[in-house]
Amino acid sequence: MAKPFYNLSNDSAFCRNLKRNGVCQVTFLKGKVAGIIGKYSNGKLSGEGKVTFRDKSFLVGYFKLGILHGFVRHFDSKGRLRFMGSHRHGRSVGVSWRIIQGGGCVVGPVDTEGHLSGHHIIYLYPDFRWAMHRCTLPLIYSLVIRIL
């Protein structure tokens, strides 16, 4: 039989063998993370979850064994999308989108540290019809292309 689980956080989870199970909301009294809500399985966040930070920014994404693993979206404190991309074992992988405050976004593959970098990065202008791409040819530093 499941019973309430209590620890140093304000936890509304129910536990089986002292591990969270089912949909749980956990709030933390200390640290950068203010709360986590999602489905737990055997004490680990699994599937879709939401992490809220002290500055009121938050992320919504997919977790596997308590670690970000799948599509993730980061929002600022006003609920505006700031980042979206995939994660594997807690790190950004593949192509990511970083939305720039004031308009436009940077799109491209991330490096092994999860940062947008390299020659395949594109800046999309706020109208999402024009883009700037860094070229690898000598003396040509950028090329503005029209997206039809």
Side-chain angles (χ1 to χ4, degrees):
M1 172 140 177
K3 60 182 179 178
F5 177 80
Y6 299 100
N7 62 11
L8 295 177
S9 65
N10 178 12
D11 192 337
S12 60
F14 282 87
C15 295
R16 195 170 288 122
N17 298 327
L18 295 177
K19 293 184 179 178
R20 293 180 186 97
N21 283 288
V23 176
C24 302
Q25 180 173 352
V26 181
T27 54
F28 298 95
L29 303 175
K30 297 179 182 179
K32 292 181 182 180
V33 175
I36 301 173
I37 187 168
K39 184 177 178 185
Y40 285 78
S41 178
N42 204 22
K44 306 273 186 180
L45 191 57
S46 299
E48 190 172 10
K50 179 180 178 181
V51 178
T52 305
F53 300 96
R54 292 259 178 254
D55 66 358
K56 305 292 187 221
S57 65
F58 63 95
L59 69 82
V60 177
Y62 289 88
F63 292 80
K64 181 177 178 183
L65 299 174
I67 299 171
L68 282 171
H69 194 85
F71 187 69
V72 177
R73 295 172 295 151
H74 294 252
F75 298 87
D76 67 12
S77 60
K78 295 182 179 178
R80 297 176 296 205
L81 182 65
R82 289 294 172 220
F83 172 88
M84 63 182 173
S86 291
H87 281 64
R88 186 176 300 131
H89 306 297
R91 290 190 175 224
S92 292
V93 295
V95 175
S96 294
W97 292 63
R98 184 157 317 275
I99 292 74
I100 308 298
Q101 189 171 356
C105 60
V106 179
V107 181
V110 295
D111 61 18
T112 56
E113 296 298 315
H115 300 107
L116 287 162
S117 66
H119 295 292
H120 302 290
I121 303 299
I122 294 174
Y123 172 74
L124 288 174
Y125 284 89
D127 65 3
F128 288 94
R129 295 183 57 129
W130 289 90
M132 186 185 310
H133 177 256
R134 173 150 166 69
C135 295
T136 57
L137 298 174
L139 302 177
I140 300 177
Y141 296 103
S142 65
L143 171 69
V144 175
I145 55 176
R146 179 110 157 80
I147 302 170
L148 299 177

